[in-house]
Amino acid sequence: MSDKILIVDDEPEIADLMEVYLKNENYEVYKFYTAREALACIHTNVMDLAILDLMLPDIDGLTLCQKIRDKYTYPVIMLTAKDGEMDKITGLTLGADDYVTKPFRPLEVVARVKSQLRRYKKYNPLQEIDDSGDRMIHSDLILNRKTHECTLNEEVIPLTPTEFSLLRILLENKGSVVSAEDLFHQIWQDEYYSKANNTITVHVRHLREKLGDSVDKPKYIKTIWGLGYKIES
């Protein structure tokens, strides 16, 4: 079954071009020029990935991203004509997993789509944790890198791809401090820029909320002030 890709961009030439390239890769594409049309589709179809333009005529892309995140954890890639740090930070902190700055090459978008889908559905672990090599266990928390599933006290915790990657990296480095810079580079494979620490901080906060963790008495993620984050071994 083909992966379902949602494209929302009010510039038909861009949306149509991305549709052609993604269909050539055998993806099933749902294309819309307005956010309201996309929302109607989202309510009746479960996507595997969304590509959202930041500037839309009715509802902006960040709001649309938030609405998706209220219910779904599949990857979201933001398209933006702006190249400022705050635009990147805002998109990432509101739940986006990646961003592409216009103008861009269609093949770059295709590559990023494939990368995000690999992380979301087909992540191959590099380090064995238990006998199967798939599960990472810490107290009552289990992270399955094959199924991309997180359970806490046998209850499934819905994580976004970014939250899953963040928790995976910390578990792989259990007992050691991982800096915000290292986390940012490993998750987004991008150059660490000023204020990117805010992006990591927000994602850690979201992750803690889902795990029922606290800053003052952390059971899972401990903040090492001035250095980074760690999970005690």
Side-chain angles (χ1 to χ4, degrees), residues 1 18 38 75-77 89 135 138 158 164 174 216:
M1 182 180 296
M18 286 193 295
V76 175
I77 299 175
I89 292 172
R135 297 195 307 159
H138 177 72
F164 185 93
K174 189 189 297 187
D216 298 330

Side-chain angles (χ1 to χ4, degrees), residues 152-189:
L152 180 61
N153 291 319
E154 299 184 355
E155 179 181 349
V156 176
I157 306 297
L159 300 182
T160 67
T162 298
E163 292 164 352
F164 185 93
S165 294
L166 185 113
L167 185 56
R168 171 183 58 78
I169 293 168
L170 291 175
L171 284 171
E172 287 178 344
N173 293 275
K174 189 189 297 187
S176 301
V177 178
V178 184
S179 69
E181 182 173 356
D182 286 341
L183 285 169
F184 188 87
H185 179 70
Q186 289 189 58
I187 292 171
W188 287 288
Q189 299 296 309

Side-chain angles (χ1 to χ4, degrees), residues 105-140:
R105 293 175 296 174
L107 287 176
E108 177 189 359
V109 177
V110 172
R112 289 176 182 264
V113 165
K114 290 181 178 179
S115 175
Q116 288 296 328
L117 287 173
R118 275 198 304 270
R119 285 175 54 193
Y120 184 51
K121 290 188 165 186
K122 304 173 183 178
Y123 179 76
N124 292 316
L126 300 177
Q127 174 185 356
E128 292 190 359
I129 302 299
D130 65 1
D131 291 340
S132 68
D134 296 326
R135 297 195 307 159
M136 307 174 73
I137 303 171
H138 177 72
S139 184
D140 47 7

Side-chain angles (χ1 to χ4, degrees), residues 16-51:
D16 295 350
L17 185 62
M18 286 193 295
E19 179 184 30
V20 170
Y21 273 81
L22 290 169
K23 281 188 173 180
N24 284 341
E25 297 292 330
N26 296 318
Y27 292 117
E28 186 176 347
V29 177
Y30 293 74
K31 178 187 64 179
F32 301 97
Y33 304 131
T34 68
R36 295 189 189 281
E37 290 178 311
L39 282 172
C41 174
I42 291 169
H43 291 323
T44 56
N45 296 275
V46 178
M47 300 296 160
D48 295 290
L49 182 142
I51 302 173

